[in-house]
Amino acid sequence: MPEAPINQKQRKWLDDASLIPDRHRLIKEFAHFQKALEKHDVEVIKPEPVDGVPDQLTPRDIGVVIGDVFVRMRMATSCRANEWRGIQRVIDSIPHEHYEIVPESAVLEGGDVVVDNGFIFVGTGERSNAAGVEFLQHRFGDTFQVVQVPLRGEAQGEDVLHLDCAFVPIGKGKALIYPDGLKRIPDAIRDHYEWIEVNKAEQRILATNVLSIDTTTLISRSAATRVNAVLREHGFEVIEVVFADTPKSGGSFRCASLPLLRDKPS
């Protein structure tokens, strides 16, 4: 358990010790997650343990691949500043011209960056700021449309830590979305996606935070029963994996992964 909570979900541990994630259950959950990925020919690279980091359950925040460039993020909380070192061996293998670091003047975490079909959607709120959006616009604005998406956090009665807790594109032209978690819904989201909406209770269990393996296959929590049924009605193959303890730290399957390759710039 970290010395201090780094998000609202971890803060609950202080009130109820029974909510603290169990190490053995976490190991089992990630083993099942890895098995599901490898069954679909995904190569899984595990991060190395890093001293002084509260947990390494959500590597998505470390970075994002945009086109053929890996962008290393700038974490909002100092206790996560060195989390990237868990994948340093991977970063060291990336050619210099395909590697960027978010400048110190900005705050930007990977969970707030959603790259899809020529768009870079950037959530701003509790974890990423306008300077992070400006960096992405400056670096990638010539080839991508950068869209800022303001989020509703704890102060607005919601619990949207990152953009992917409220909006995640899936398949071709569809998206899981919790509209009430967004302060403003950009036209790019209204005009380019067919929405599959989740309610507040489903958002609380991170039902939007699925991991797409391809355009028709995704991994979702088995607890999201209604959402999974709707996804199947839309033609998706839904791989259900029990993921109960990992979300207690603030993230689900998308957060617990960090894709390093894209088939094409997108």
Side-chain angles (χ1 to χ4, degrees):
M1 179 175 177
E3 294 182 2
I6 59 177
N7 57 52
Q8 179 66 12
K9 285 183 166 40
Q10 288 191 358
R11 192 170 290 116
K12 294 179 181 179
W13 304 353
L14 300 179
D15 299 325
D16 187 349
S18 68
L19 295 177
I20 298 175
D22 178 82
R23 179 176 182 271
H24 298 290
R25 287 197 297 267
L26 286 170
I27 291 172
K28 186 176 181 180
E29 287 180 4
F30 271 89
H32 289 163
F33 184 25
Q34 180 175 347
K35 183 178 180 180
L37 290 169
E38 292 177 339
K39 185 177 179 180
H40 287 78
D41 299 321
V42 177
E43 179 185 359
V44 177
I45 303 171
K46 298 180 182 179
E48 300 291 338
V50 180
D51 290 338
V53 174
D55 71 55
Q56 293 174 258
L57 300 177
T58 54
R60 174 75 62 161
D61 293 332
I62 293 172
V64 62
V65 174
I66 302 176
D68 61 357
V69 178
F70 180 88
V71 182
R72 200 185 94 200
M73 300 288 99
R74 185 76 60 177
M75 300 293 199
T77 54
S78 58
C79 61
R80 300 190 69 190
N82 288 320
E83 198 169 321
W84 66 273
R85 296 191 182 280
I87 63 166
Q88 185 163 5
R89 71 188 189 281
V90 174
I91 289 176
D92 288 345
S93 70
I94 300 173
H96 177 75
E97 63 271 21
H98 297 292
Y99 180 61
E100 290 275 355
I101 303 175
V102 173
E104 293 183 5
S105 59
V107 179
L108 190 64
E109 296 190 350
D112 276 324
V113 182
V114 175
V115 183
D116 183 60
N117 197 30
F119 292 101
I120 303 175
F121 297 100
V122 193
T124 52
E126 295 188 10
R127 283 296 187 267
S128 300
N129 62 18
V133 181
E134 292 171 5
F135 159 74
L136 292 173
Q137 178 63 48
H138 175 76
R139 178 61 179 82
F140 299 101
D142 289 343
T143 51
F144 290 84
Q145 183 177 341
V146 179
V147 181
Q148 182 174 351
V149 188
L151 307 176
R152 295 185 187 277
E154 185 180 0
Q156 293 81 36
E158 296 293 346
D159 188 18
V160 180
L161 186 67
H162 289 122
L163 177 58
D164 61 12
C165 297
F167 168 73
V168 171
I170 54 174
K172 295 182 179 180
K174 300 179 189 293
L176 284 165
I177 189 169
Y178 174 58
D180 289 347
L182 311 181
K183 289 182 180 178
R184 174 178 55 81
I185 301 178
D187 289 342
I189 291 179
R190 294 187 184 278
D191 297 342
H192 292 275
Y193 295 94
E194 177 185 353
W195 295 2
I196 299 174
E197 294 191 24
V198 306
N199 60 39
K200 189 165 188 170
E202 291 164 339
Q203 188 276 330
R204 286 292 193 269
I205 65 167
L206 300 175
T208 62
N209 203 258
V210 301
L211 179 64
S212 293
I213 295 177
D214 55 41
T215 58
T216 60
T217 310
L218 52 82
I219 299 177
S220 177
R221 289 187 67 179
S222 56
T225 52
R226 188 197 69 86
V227 175
N228 291 342
V230 174
L231 288 169
R232 290 187 175 103
E233 290 174 2
H234 280 261
F236 290 95
E237 177 187 351
V238 181
I239 303 167
E240 295 189 10
V241 175
V242 175
F243 226 51
D245 271 30
T246 304
K248 293 178 182 179
S249 197
S252 193
F253 296 109
R254 191 176 189 275
C255 297
S257 60
L258 174 54
L260 296 172
L261 295 174
R262 294 184 183 274
D263 290 337
K264 59 182 180 178
S266 62

